Amino acid sequence: MENKTRITDIDSIIKDSLIHSQKLTLEQKHELENIAGQLTAPGRGILAADESSSTLGKRLVKEGLTNDIETRRAYREVLFSNESLGEYLSGAILNIETLTQRHSNGSLFVDVLSKKRIVPGVKADTGLMPLERNGIISVETMTMGLEDLLERSVEYRSLGARFTKWRGVLRLDKAAQLPSYDAIEINAAQLANYAAKSQAAGLVPIIEPELLIEGSHTAEEFAETMELILGGVYFAL
């Protein structure tokens, strides 16, 4: 996993993270700890309901339904209306579209969830883009959305969200020497920067470095690579 070149200015990303993390007051830290405690309540889990309009739309069309905003809203209403949902869920990651949608009784979905003791969250990243080395586009990726993340995070909180999720994606291919050091480093730096900005806006960050399972690698190779990736993320944090 040799390092060919620095893809971006990692140091500036880390410095930006430090600036935001150092601004947190004791009160803000306590509030974030309280939200994290709710999310990690024993015996309950977090629902990932943050499918994009296109991803959810494919499932709806497959069932003969129309992929429009009302159908997606109705689907989410069925999902969130289960009376016992709060017994099993501590949080729900939503798509940005869902933050402003309402139940047919007029209540915002974030309020429907909160009344069931389910903390509303939202996906914060805006997708993936390929890494570039020496003018050559790589199969490896970095995540988009850092530039306006703080502003968007402030808005997410005003709409009722209390945590966010950011996904960094890496590939395992021993023959191609993937993941590269570059990919591990830039994704770790982005995750740390995301976490700092999310906390600065009063949102608990869920950090998701995902190593894709596709490939001919063994379980041992996967575990070894995942340990390397997590080491990079912990160091950046």
Side-chain angles (χ1 to χ4, degrees), residues 1-7 133 177 180-183 185:
M1 301 179 189
E2 65 177 316
N3 180 17
K4 294 292 186 183
T5 182
R6 292 179 73 85
I7 296 174
R133 286 191 191 83
Q177 295 186 314
S180 66
Y181 180 83
D182 285 334
E185 188 179 40

Side-chain angles (χ1 to χ4, degrees), residues 41-110:
R44 299 160 73 201
I46 298 174
L47 172 69
D50 58 333
E51 305 100 325
S52 66
S53 299
S54 58
T55 299
L56 177 55
K58 291 175 183 177
R59 297 171 184 167
L60 295 173
V61 170
K62 187 177 179 180
E63 298 301 321
L65 300 172
T66 303
N67 179 24
D68 58 23
I69 192 168
E70 173 53 27
T71 305
R72 294 192 298 271
R73 187 210 62 78
Y75 163 79
R76 289 160 180 151
E77 177 171 329
V78 171
L79 188 63
F80 300 147
S81 293
N82 188 294
E83 291 300 325
S84 60
L85 204 61
E87 297 177 29
Y88 309 101
L89 297 180
S90 59
I93 307 168
L94 309 177
N95 181 278
I96 179 60
E97 178 180 80
T98 319
L99 279 181
T100 56
Q101 288 184 322
R102 294 178 180 271
H103 190 283
S104 55
N105 65 13
S107 301
L108 288 164
F109 282 142
V110 291

Side-chain angles (χ1 to χ4, degrees), residues 162-192:
R162 290 297 178 266
F163 73 97
T164 55
K165 184 203 76 167
W166 181 284
R167 176 173 172 254
V169 179
L170 297 113
R171 297 174 180 274
L172 175 54
D173 185 333
K174 287 288 186 179
Q177 295 186 314
L178 302 180
S180 66
Y181 180 83
D182 285 334
I184 293 174
E185 188 179 40
I186 185 60
N187 278 281
Q190 285 190 320
L191 286 164

